[in-house]
Amino acid sequence: MAIPKYQYIKDELKQKIISGQFENGDKFYTEAELIQMYDVSSITVVRALNDLANDGYIIRQQGKGTFVSRARKHKLVEFSDVEVFPSQSDHVTVLSIERGNDGAILDKLGLKSSQFYYRIERVRETNGVTYIYQQSYIPEQYVNANYPNLEYYSSIYGRFKADYHIHMNDEPFEEINEIVFPTPKHVAEKLGIDPQFPSVHQVKTTQLESTGQILEYVESYKRGDFYKIKFIASDKSR
């Protein structure tokens, strides 16, 4: 099957960008130049340019022209929290599960003032060392109020999968990591460290892709000596 002309043009222009023929922010070909270069109609050129723009390779500014995106040339950046120590010895302990209605948390969950959530407080340890203190806030509809014991929620993602067929790792999320020093006193007590010992404050919000509903808002504190991250940049088109 022959490749549509617009697709051929798009792929060739994309390779020019990826190969470094254009720097980030450079002015790109005009529609008139591309029409002449490829001897095609303006409709074909516009479709190719729009696809490149939708894929993040170029930015089209009315009245100014077309420019190569200042983003990472459409790099897909993968972030992973590297476990410093083997995870086989990990153990999660649920400290408490409480129903709540605090306005600040309701706002973060996108809930109304008449609605409720559950706060699940947990710690994670390895080889006898507590290295994460975590507070998860989950809309009431996703928590089984008749849980048999606290350990029922030792794996929150496991409960979402088993009880509601939601794979949390596949849902969109936003996570912010911030080094905090000193560590808040109540957190330091949970982690068994001195407040002068640094920790990493991680705030993560996960949404249900199909509806945009917030499934979980979680705040975690991780010991600084257990924190290590890895970034991998790759071409999203591969």
Side-chain angles (χ1 to χ4, degrees):
M1 176 181 286
I3 300 176
K5 193 65 176 178
Y6 84 90
Q7 184 69 46
Y8 170 80
I9 295 172
K10 172 191 172 182
D11 291 343
E12 188 167 283
L13 294 177
K14 183 173 73 173
Q15 287 305 313
K16 288 177 181 289
I17 296 172
I18 293 174
S19 66
Q21 292 186 40
F22 290 88
E23 294 295 330
N24 296 347
D26 280 357
K27 192 163 186 178
F28 201 54
Y29 298 114
T30 65
E31 289 182 20
E33 288 173 333
L34 292 172
I35 290 171
Q36 185 175 8
M37 284 171 58
Y38 292 101
D39 190 24
V40 294
S41 68
S42 61
I43 294 176
T44 299
V45 165
V46 169
R47 185 169 182 182
L49 290 175
N50 285 342
D51 276 10
L52 285 173
N54 290 335
D55 288 346
Y57 288 96
I58 61 174
I59 297 174
R60 309 193 72 196
Q61 298 180 350
Q62 188 172 6
K64 294 184 179 181
T66 302
F67 300 85
V68 175
S69 174
R70 291 186 180 277
R72 299 179 177 222
K73 292 186 180 177
H74 206 60
K75 294 290 187 182
L76 176 65
V77 179
E78 299 178 26
F79 163 89
S80 60
D81 192 348
V82 180
E83 297 300 338
V84 178
F85 297 92
S87 59
Q88 291 88 340
S89 60
D90 267 18
H91 177 71
V92 175
T93 300
V94 180
L95 303 178
S96 65
I97 300 178
E98 298 178 353
R99 187 169 181 257
N101 181 248
D102 181 83
I105 301 300
L106 291 174
D107 286 344
K108 294 182 184 299
L109 291 171
L111 298 176
K112 298 177 182 178
S113 60
S114 60
Q115 294 179 291
F116 288 81
Y117 58 82
Y118 275 87
R119 169 183 169 271
I120 301 177
E121 183 186 30
R122 306 184 304 164
V123 292
R124 182 182 295 272
E125 64 180 57
T126 183
N127 295 324
V129 178
T130 300
Y131 69 99
I132 291 180
Y133 170 64
Q134 187 175 74
Q135 297 180 87
S136 293
Y137 299 90
I138 302 170
E140 184 176 36
Q141 72 183 95
Y142 291 110
V143 175
N144 179 1
N146 296 316
Y147 56 87
N149 51 62
L150 291 179
E151 295 310 301
Y152 187 76
Y153 278 98
S154 60
S155 173
I156 292 176
Y157 281 19
R159 292 267 54 91
F160 268 103
K161 180 179 178 181
D163 298 342
Y164 305 102
H165 307 291
I166 295 174
H167 297 261
M168 292 288 278
N169 285 319
D170 294 334
E171 301 298 332
F173 69 87
E174 177 181 283
E175 179 178 312
I176 298 174
N177 290 257
E178 178 184 14
I179 305 296
V180 291
F181 178 80
T183 295
K185 186 176 180 181
H186 73 283
V187 173
E189 291 176 355
K190 301 290 185 181
L191 293 176
I193 59 175
D194 188 281
Q196 296 305 309
F197 196 88
S199 61
V200 179
H201 184 208
Q202 300 174 314
V203 178
K204 183 176 181 180
T205 304
T206 302
Q207 294 179 288
L208 186 62
E209 185 172 20
S210 60
T211 65
Q213 180 188 16
I214 297 176
L215 299 171
E216 180 190 35
Y217 169 76
V218 55
E219 291 197 30
S220 305
Y221 284 88
K222 190 170 189 176
R223 284 178 55 132
D225 55 343
F226 277 71
Y227 183 69
K228 184 177 181 180
I229 61 174
K230 177 173 69 175
F231 292 94
I232 300 176
S234 59
D235 187 345
K236 188 177 179 181
S237 63
R238 293 178 183 173

